[in-house]
Amino acid sequence: MNVEDILARKSSNEVRSIGSERSVEEAVAELVQHNIGSLSVMEGGRPVGIITERDILRACASENRPLADTRVEERMTRNVITGSANDKVSDVMGWMTEMRIRHLPVLEQDQLAGMVSIGDIVKRRVHEYETEQ
């Protein structure tokens, strides 16, 4: 099974994003509104990073200023691990475990095509297991 199979079965393949110049407070509002754990950070229509719940917790622990005064680009992860639709799910699961990441942006020709979470992978694996029984 490939990442493409997971993306095809997701109820929504819309990837939420935010601009790097926006505030971390705005990022928090987006995460809460959409009940998600990460936002792709975009500049000029291209992904340049990711901001996750973990990045925001680090900002809360280390900043002496309000999140409204902290820009996303200051707290986002820039060197993002990405995948492609053709990647094997077993490989992706290994990368996510080894690198301790919970969200994997999926790129197609340098464009954001989707986002796979560790929850998506677990859900798919459970479905496979139940189908085999």
Side-chain angles (χ1 to χ4, degrees), residues 11 14 25 27 58 62 79 93 100 105 108 115 125:
S11 59
E14 182 179 359
E25 182 178 69
R58 285 188 185 115
S62 66
N79 298 323
M93 192 167 51
R100 299 179 52 97
E108 291 297 322
M115 182 82 71
R125 289 295 201 180

Side-chain angles (χ1 to χ4, degrees), residues 30-49:
E30 284 286 315
L31 294 173
V32 170
Q33 179 182 353
H34 300 289
N35 195 29
I36 55 177
S38 69
L39 294 167
S40 181
V41 181
M42 306 292 281
E43 286 181 2
R46 300 185 81 82
V48 295

Side-chain angles (χ1 to χ4, degrees), residues 72-132:
V72 166
E73 69 183 351
E74 296 174 60
R75 302 311 306 182
M76 71 183 193
T77 300
R78 292 183 185 277
N79 298 323
V80 181
I81 307 300
T82 62
S84 76
N86 295 323
D87 289 331
K88 291 181 182 177
V89 171
S90 57
D91 291 340
V92 169
M93 192 167 51
W95 302 335
M96 293 176 86
T97 302
E98 180 181 326
M99 295 177 199
R100 299 179 52 97
I101 58 174
R102 292 179 285 170
H103 303 92
L104 183 79
V106 178
L107 302 181
E108 291 297 322
Q109 299 176 0
D110 291 331
Q111 296 294 312
L112 191 61
M115 182 82 71
V116 175
S117 72
I118 197 72
D120 296 330
I121 291 174
V122 169
K123 182 178 178 180
R124 185 67 192 146
R125 289 295 201 180
V126 166
H127 176 73
E128 284 179 339
Y129 176 77
E130 289 174 344
T131 309
E132 291 174 1

